[in-house]
Amino acid sequence: MSSRGCQKSNLSANPKPSLLYGMSAMSACKTLVRISISSLEFSLVCNQRNFSFIPLPNHPSFSPISSSLRFASLLSPASSISLGLTRHKLHSRPYVHVAESVGVETTDLEDDSNKDIVEHLLTNTDDVGRLMKMERRSMTGDGGELIQSKRWFPYLDKFKTGTTFLSSSEILEAMDPYIMEVRKERFRNVVKSRSYSVCLVVEGLCDFGNVSAAFRSADALGFQSVHVVSCDSSKRYKDNRHVSMGAEKWLDIELWNSTQECFEVLKSRGYRIATTHVGMDAVSIYDMDWTCPTAIVVGNENRGISDEALELSDLHCSIPMKGMVDSFNVSVAAGILMHHAVCDRTSRLGSHGDLSLEESRILLAEFSLRHSKSANSIAHEFAKRKAASPRISQAFD
């Protein structure tokens, strides 16, 4: 028994050359297969986005999605790990969103993903002004006249490029080839729900996160106009958080150094000033008629509305509280106020959006100019062709 055991042991320790060769060949073959499959996986992941745009053979069994699924079933997680390859995360997005993102350029303010855009805008007044493209009315109206009976709309039907002015219709014509249809449809739907009849004012906020959250709610609920009255403290803002989701790009943002200046201009535009305040004279937001042009004012995170704002406002309003605490977070309060205003206006008017056809066209042109950092150049080239061609009408007056 012991000799047989020795023989078996020697056989295992010293395999025949043919067996050794076969094992080595099999191992090399497996390694080559793993490398080929891993390379295929890497190429497949890197070129995932291109599949939706490659012309495909007219064959029912061939599709980029089904092919990637079949290939994925062959790929072993261990193969990439054993070869030290880093897996790329596959981002699954509906085609409509992929198509929307392709060919839609970003604005200059979105180029640096590490910079908080709201912080940049609130600390650089000139950039806020440059964000709005179409020519704007004077602060209180055309020719300095106060707007009392007419509903406020800030834009004129012209865009200045060089020494030439283009109308909103011409802007839309110039930008049309450069904006995907799905994007243009999105613009039309958003503009249809926009209104300047109710605007938001944030007074003295010190937290960028709250300002950003208020901007995001305003955009989502169809408010086009927001106003920011600067904080009084030397350290104006803190807690830089990226929560606006790019809403500031599509809003009309106006910055003010004082509450009095802000309120005077808003009143000249026909707004009543409603400050949020918990007091005996406060009116419930559920008892207000929100079809009346109204500026909703929310105050500082700690102090609330300033005494100056309370004195200068037309009315005080409050959100009825049902719990033990007597206040909401300021960005939450702003969201509730705007949401109720939209609901009340919809029940009374049929919709929150109330722009005329001309105003809608102008705002569409404004959005078209904002969507791409090359929009100004496109409009400028269109103006040059228009000036050189006798078939195109003369410059807009």
Side-chain angles (χ1 to χ4, degrees), residues 20-35:
L20 180 60
Y21 178 82
M23 292 172 63
S24 299
M26 184 179 295
S27 176
C29 184
K30 287 182 178 179
T31 301
L32 288 173
V33 170
R34 290 195 188 100
I35 292 174

Side-chain angles (χ1 to χ4, degrees), residues 229-241:
V229 181
S230 64
C231 180
D232 296 330
S233 62
S234 57
K235 185 179 179 181
R236 295 178 57 183
Y237 299 102
K238 62 181 181 179
D239 293 339
N240 183 1
R241 298 198 298 269

Side-chain angles (χ1 to χ4, degrees), residues 133-135 153 155-161 164-176 179 191 356-369 379 382 386 393-397:
K133 307 296 184 179
M134 299 292 287
E135 292 290 296
F153 183 76
Y155 294 107
L156 301 173
D157 191 12
K158 56 185 179 180
F159 171 73
K160 185 176 182 180
T161 172
T164 305
F165 286 100
L166 297 177
S167 68
S168 56
S169 298
E170 290 171 322
I171 289 296
L172 293 174
E173 179 184 351
M175 297 302 300
D176 184 73
I179 305 178
V191 168
S356 66
L357 290 177
E358 180 185 11
E359 291 168 345
S360 297
R361 186 179 65 252
I362 295 173
L363 191 57
L364 273 175
E366 174 72 16
F367 279 8
S368 298
L369 289 167
F382 180 89
K386 167 187 161 182
S393 60
Q394 294 182 352
F396 180 82
D397 293 326

Side-chain angles (χ1 to χ4, degrees), residues 86-218:
T86 302
R87 273 184 185 277
H88 291 251
K89 182 178 179 183
L90 290 175
H91 299 279
S92 175
R93 299 178 64 191
Y95 173 78
V96 63
H97 292 152
V98 174
E100 181 175 334
S101 64
V102 175
V104 178
E105 301 179 27
T106 59
T107 60
D108 295 329
L109 293 176
E110 289 183 319
D111 288 343
D112 187 355
S113 59
N114 295 321
K115 181 189 295 182
D116 187 278
I117 305 303
V118 173
E119 176 185 5
H120 178 81
L121 290 176
L122 298 187
T123 53
N124 294 271
T125 307
D126 291 341
D127 285 344
V128 175
R130 284 195 291 268
L131 186 65
M132 292 171 276
K133 307 296 184 179
M134 299 292 287
E135 292 290 296
R136 291 173 63 86
R137 301 182 186 278
S138 61
M139 189 171 290
T140 56
D142 290 327
E145 298 177 0
L146 301 184
I147 303 285
Q148 297 294 349
S149 58
K150 189 176 180 181
R151 178 170 51 84
W152 171 255
F153 183 76
Y155 294 107
L156 301 173
D157 191 12
K158 56 185 179 180
F159 171 73
K160 185 176 182 180
T161 172
T163 58
T164 305
F165 286 100
L166 297 177
S167 68
S168 56
S169 298
E170 290 171 322
I171 289 296
L172 293 174
E173 179 184 351
M175 297 302 300
D176 184 73
Y178 302 94
I179 305 178
M180 299 184 71
E181 189 58 41
V182 66
R183 190 67 159 177
K184 288 184 282 189
E185 182 63 22
R186 181 70 176 273
F187 285 166
R188 288 190 288 266
N189 289 335
V190 170
V191 168
K192 185 178 179 180
S193 300
R194 281 301 208 244
S195 175
Y196 286 90
S197 295
V198 186
C199 65
L200 176 68
V201 181
V202 292
E203 184 206 27
L205 298 190
C206 295
D207 188 329
F208 274 124
N210 286 329
V211 179
S212 297
F215 283 4
R216 184 175 176 179
S217 296

Side-chain angles (χ1 to χ4, degrees), residues 48 67 109 304 373:
Q48 178 78 10
S67 300
L109 293 176
K373 62 184 179 182

